[in-house]
Amino acid sequence: MSSRAWRLLFLWLCGLLLAAPLAVGLLLLLAEGAAMGNLRLLLAQPGLWHSAGLSLWIASASTLGALLFTALLLAQGDGSRWMGMLRRLLSPLLALPHVAFAIGFAFLLAPSGWLLRLLSPTLTGFEMPPDWQTLKDPAGLGLIVALILKETPFLLLMALSALDPAKVARQQWIGVSMGFSLPQIWWRLLLPALWPALRLPLYAVAAYGIAVVDLAQLLGPDAPAPLAVRLWLWYQDADLLWRGASASGALLLLAGGLLLLAGLRLLEWGHLGLGRHHWLDGRRTAPACLARRLVGGGALGLLAINLLVLAALLLWSLTRRWPFPDGLPSQWSGHHWLVLLPSQGPLLWQSLWLAIASAGISLLLVVLCLEAQRDRRPWPLWLVCLPLLLPQASLLFGLRLQIDWLGSAGVDGIGWGWVLWSQLLFVAPYVYLCLHGAYRQFDPRIVQAAQLLGASPWRAWWRVKAPLLARPLLFAFGVGAAVSLAQYLPTLLFGAGRVVTITTEAVAIGSGLNRRLAGLYGLLQLLLPLCVYALVLWLPARINPALKHGSLG
């Protein structure tokens, strides 16, 4: 069989492994969720439409807030010192898992949290925690703020990766020579051109926001809860009738997600169409120093909140007694670290093994897919990113229906295998996104020269192409491992309680009342991706010493 035939066969096999289950799952979800009995049970639930509206509100507000914050940072921060610092710290910000951030953010935002302790009683006069609902508020404002703070670095990284520095500098020089200020150049020229590059990341942020379960359990409202959380609670019910209601609810969540994506697309069209007249009116304005200072304060606030989150996690994990309104614990103790940490070894190893396996298999599949697409048209990005663009709960409930249809005996026998497979569906798209640009920019003539000198295709890839792409390959692996470590709903849904990771334990502990355990588990969840990212930063220079000096791009 020729190499071209092998590539075509592999593409079809990869599609059957990753894409076909999603299509079959959505069809089964449609059949199960559209049954009249299941629909009647769903529609009879009190507060159903309030939960659906709450999910739409949280997702739309957090997505638009993160988009606006990203645009302000780009427009007002060009050339500033705080923007340079923020760009250097983007990787550590992204390495902080959502669950760990949510636990630490709750420590800051709670009525008895650290922020109010630092102000009391000097500025507030509070000797006791006030009766404020800063967490789990009915409007989900705390959850929205947390999502904005976590998604802004992601969107900012995607925007910076899409910008060509030479082209940006040339456009800025032309704009300045015509009398426009730098913020005007960004708002009128550079930001509108970023829409295509930000479209898929923005859709992924919206899909995550509407179907988030772990953060909603920690920070979101619960009377009623967002729709995704209620679906998960119904699915866990001992009465199997609620499985049908959860399938119908997953369809409703899917419809809400598609509606939100359509709204974002309309926003893009409106901005590009209706705003064109404003961009081309030729009006010059002086840069607003106040706006630049406010945005700079917001950027420093983003960094400060992340540092405070880490500090709060560490303080509570070492606290024995911390009465309100003291700014620091009155009694310290390392009891939880000394007693619980030795027993957490198996849990950490299980989580790390699952993350390494998921990232490694995804990296192998993606590299083979990119190599197989070398002689034919690449897959559309929207097709590869489909698991990221649709609500996770809807896709997972459909996949779970397939597993139930195959029979529960198979699930009990290979629970780890099903969890690994379910995580691959969400890890592989992120790995593909990380490698797609590097593969597209790689000069194929380098490999062709190695083959002309007598090297086989495999030897040319291993000895020439892999060292040159060491950084993006290892970075993609690190991103895949971090995404796998953060997977909450796939682990619970396909592990059936038999597969436990540090993330599932962190959510369970963080939802309770023991802040010391919550701080410890939050730090442990942060520890694993930090170790992976540190390894990713250390290995490239070891693989090829020339990479230290940047001689191999």
Side-chain angles (χ1 to χ4, degrees):
M1 186 178 291
S2 65
S3 60
R4 184 182 294 268
W6 275 112
R7 290 184 184 129
L8 181 61
L9 177 61
F10 177 79
L11 288 176
W12 278 103
L13 290 176
C14 192
L16 288 175
L17 177 65
L18 299 178
L22 294 177
V24 176
L26 288 176
L27 290 176
L28 289 176
L29 182 67
L30 181 62
E32 181 77 12
M36 291 304 299
N38 296 333
L39 283 174
R40 282 195 293 267
L41 181 59
L42 174 69
L43 295 176
Q45 299 310 305
L48 173 67
W49 298 110
H50 184 86
S51 295
L54 193 61
S55 296
L56 272 174
W57 155 246
I58 291 172
S60 58
S62 60
T63 303
L64 294 177
L67 176 63
L68 178 61
F69 196 8
T70 302
L72 288 171
L73 290 173
L74 290 171
Q76 299 292 337
D78 193 11
S80 64
R81 184 178 301 175
W82 54 263
M83 186 61 177
M85 181 171 57
L86 182 60
R87 296 178 72 159
R88 289 191 296 270
L89 294 176
L90 276 180
S91 295
L93 292 178
L94 293 173
L96 181 60
H98 283 71
V99 172
F101 179 84
I103 294 173
F105 189 68
F107 290 164
L108 297 179
L109 198 64
S112 60
W114 198 17
L115 290 181
L116 198 59
R117 291 170 183 265
L118 294 176
L119 301 177
S120 301
T122 306
L123 299 179
T124 64
F126 293 135
E127 296 289 344
M128 297 291 292
D131 188 16
W132 294 349
Q133 195 171 6
T134 53
L135 295 178
K136 297 183 176 295
D137 58 288
L141 298 180
L143 178 58
I144 291 172
V145 173
L147 287 172
I148 290 174
L149 293 175
K150 279 302 296 175
E151 301 301 349
T152 297
F154 170 70
L155 290 180
L156 184 60
L157 178 64
M158 294 296 101
L160 293 175
S161 301
L163 291 171
D164 183 357
K167 186 176 180 180
V168 169
R170 184 167 59 252
Q171 291 172 328
Q172 288 177 334
W173 179 81
I174 295 174
V176 170
S177 65
M178 296 177 65
F180 291 100
S181 63
L182 284 179
Q184 274 189 302
I185 297 171
W186 275 97
W187 286 112
R188 294 169 179 258
L189 185 62
L190 298 176
L191 290 177
L194 272 179
W195 268 112
L198 284 180
R199 187 180 301 143
L200 287 179
L202 195 65
Y203 290 175
V205 168
Y208 177 79
I210 200 171
V212 62
V213 174
D214 44 7
L215 264 68
Q217 288 182 327
L218 295 170
L219 301 175
D222 53 8
L227 184 57
V229 177
R230 296 187 70 179
L231 293 181
W232 174 237
L233 295 176
W234 292 341
Y235 186 86
Q236 291 179 296
D237 197 282
D239 189 353
L240 295 181
L241 288 176
W242 288 101
R243 297 284 179 93
S246 63
S248 299
L251 280 181
L252 179 60
L253 189 67
L254 179 61
L258 294 176
L259 179 64
L260 180 57
L261 296 187
L264 291 175
R265 185 63 171 165
L266 286 175
L267 176 65
E268 178 185 349
W269 285 341
H271 184 230
L272 294 178
L274 301 178
R276 190 181 303 275
H277 175 72
H278 173 70
W279 308 334
L280 303 178
D281 61 4
R283 186 175 303 170
R284 277 76 165 172
T285 58
C289 296
L290 179 60
R292 190 179 181 89
R293 291 174 182 174
L294 289 177
V295 176
L300 296 178
L302 174 64
L303 297 176
I305 288 176
N306 280 271
L307 289 176
L308 288 174
V309 162
L310 293 176
L313 290 173
L314 181 61
L315 286 177
W316 272 110
S317 69
L318 296 173
T319 293
R320 181 179 181 183
R321 187 172 183 272
W322 194 352
F324 187 90
D326 293 354
L328 291 173
S330 59
Q331 295 181 8
W332 302 83
S333 174
H335 172 77
H336 290 94
W337 284 95
L338 296 175
V339 174
L340 292 179
L341 190 58
S343 64
Q344 298 304 310
L347 176 64
L348 295 175
W349 278 114
Q350 288 174 9
S351 304
L352 188 59
W353 173 87
L354 189 60
I356 291 175
S358 180
I361 296 174
S362 297
L363 183 63
L364 177 63
L365 289 176
V366 167
V367 169
L368 290 175
C369 284
L370 290 171
E371 290 291 332
Q373 295 177 50
R374 190 174 58 192
D375 295 336
R376 52 183 57 249
R377 186 179 180 182
W379 286 345
L381 272 179
W382 68 266
L383 182 61
V384 177
C385 298
L386 191 61
L388 309 181
L389 304 181
L390 298 178
Q392 191 183 62
S394 300
L395 294 177
L396 290 176
F397 283 140
L399 294 173
R400 181 65 203 205
L401 286 174
Q402 294 182 65
I403 306 303
D404 294 338
W405 181 69
L406 292 174
S408 59
V411 180
D412 295 337
I414 50 173
W416 276 100
W418 289 117
V419 172
L420 179 61
W421 173 70
S422 66
Q423 291 194 5
L424 282 176
L425 298 175
F426 300 96
V427 174
Y430 280 104
V431 176
Y432 188 93
L433 286 176
C434 292
L435 281 180
H436 177 261
Y439 257 79
R440 186 178 56 186
Q441 297 171 8
F442 186 82
D443 190 349
R445 293 174 297 179
I446 300 176
V447 175
Q448 293 172 3
Q451 292 178 348
L452 288 175
L453 293 174
S456 64
W458 160 249
R459 183 177 178 84
W461 187 92
W462 180 253
R463 299 298 299 271
V464 178
K465 193 171 186 177
L468 291 174
L469 293 177
R471 290 187 187 277
L473 285 170
L474 289 170
F475 178 74
F477 176 83
V479 170
V483 172
S484 175
L485 286 167
Q487 294 300 310
Y488 173 73
L489 197 56
T491 306
L492 288 180
L493 197 59
F494 290 87
R498 299 175 180 85
V499 179
V500 182
T501 64
I502 187 63
T503 298
T504 60
E505 289 295 288
V507 174
I509 298 297
S511 302
L513 299 176
N514 194 327
R515 293 186 175 183
R516 296 155 187 83
L517 280 179
L520 173 61
Y521 276 87
L523 286 175
L524 290 179
Q525 200 216 8
L526 171 63
L527 177 66
L528 293 181
L530 282 182
C531 291
V532 173
Y533 276 116
L535 186 64
V536 164
L537 294 175
W538 175 78
L539 272 180
R542 298 291 176 179
I543 294 174
N544 194 334
L547 291 175
K548 286 183 178 180
H549 310 289
S551 59
L552 295 177

